[in-house]
Amino acid sequence: MWSEDNFQYAIENTRVIREPQKRIETFGSTSFRFLLVTELLDYADRVCVRDGRIEAERPRLVSPHHFQKLMLDGFGEDAQHYAEALEKHGAAIKILRYGFQFKKRDISEHLVHEPKQAVIDKLTRELESNNDPMSALIEGVDEAWEVCLLKFTFDLIQRSAGENVDEWKRRGLIQ
């Protein structure tokens, strides 16, 4: 079982080398390809490259009214009162909800017998020559590679949220 320190180590050692050039679409689904490079700790110059996809559903705007209905299953009376107060006084509160599908069947793993930096450099050149705006290159920790991938995903959400809100404002869907 991983400890809090192990998770923190994975998060702190996740580095996005090449971000997708596009963000999560405001009005449609978005699919991102990722290449996640990790070094095997017990072997010199052995690197695992994971190639896969992350599917992002169309973001949705959740108002306090919907938040109350979505988030309070199993909560007590105090939480219910708080949600009611948000609904009454929270006209300006908007929460974005992003849905992701992480499909392990879409992931392939390749072991490479080269130094990690050489693999990263080669993959960077390949991605730049392919010019795929929906691809990312990530460096992470092998034992917690899924934590590294989730960190990338949450960071992508944060980078996309402002653009999504701006798009809704331009179209008059929110104020």
Side-chain angles (χ1 to χ4, degrees):
M1 182 81 178
W2 274 68
S3 71
E4 182 68 29
D5 289 340
N6 295 122
F7 284 111
Q8 190 62 36
Y9 177 80
I11 289 167
E12 290 172 359
N13 287 284
T14 299
R15 184 171 67 110
V16 178
I17 297 158
R18 183 182 187 275
E19 286 187 18
Q21 296 166 357
K22 296 198 174 188
R23 302 291 184 241
I24 297 170
E25 293 292 328
T26 305
F27 296 104
S29 325
T30 311
S31 178
F32 295 97
R33 177 185 180 210
F34 68 87
L35 294 166
L36 179 68
V37 178
T38 61
E39 191 168 37
L40 302 179
L41 295 179
D42 296 337
Y43 304 96
D45 294 337
R46 283 201 187 170
V47 174
C48 183
V49 177
R50 292 175 177 89
D51 187 342
R53 299 201 79 74
I54 297 175
E55 305 288 330
E57 297 172 358
R58 177 181 61 86
R60 291 172 175 82
L61 194 61
V62 181
S63 69
H65 175 71
H66 291 103
F67 180 72
Q68 178 184 359
K69 289 181 174 42
L70 289 173
M71 303 301 283
L72 293 183
D73 186 28
F75 281 79
E77 191 175 317
D78 290 339
Q80 184 68 37
H81 290 304
Y82 179 70
E84 288 169 4
L86 283 178
E87 185 175 358
K88 288 178 188 172
H89 306 289
I93 297 174
K94 304 285 189 285
I95 299 169
L96 295 178
R97 187 181 105 199
Y98 292 86
F100 283 87
Q101 296 178 4
F102 180 63
K103 301 176 183 175
K104 286 194 178 212
R105 68 178 184 272
D106 294 341
I107 297 173
S108 62
E109 293 184 6
H110 306 283
L111 285 180
V112 181
H113 299 277
E114 293 181 44
K116 181 170 61 171
Q117 192 57 52
V119 172
I120 289 171
D121 292 343
K122 185 186 300 183
L123 291 172
T124 300
R125 286 190 300 274
E126 282 178 26
L127 288 175
E128 287 174 1
S129 70
N130 291 343
N131 199 26
D132 178 4
M134 305 307 276
S135 291
L137 179 58
I138 308 159
E139 178 183 7
V141 177
D142 193 63
E143 297 81 21
W145 69 271
E146 290 175 324
V147 173
C148 300
L149 187 58
L150 286 175
K151 178 179 185 329
F152 162 76
T153 303
F154 292 137
D155 290 347
L156 183 60
I157 289 170
Q158 286 183 315
R159 288 190 304 274
S160 299
E163 291 178 22
N164 296 145
V165 169
D166 289 345
E167 178 84 16
W168 283 322
K169 285 180 180 178
R170 279 193 302 277
R171 293 185 184 216
L173 299 172
I174 61 172
Q175 296 180 15

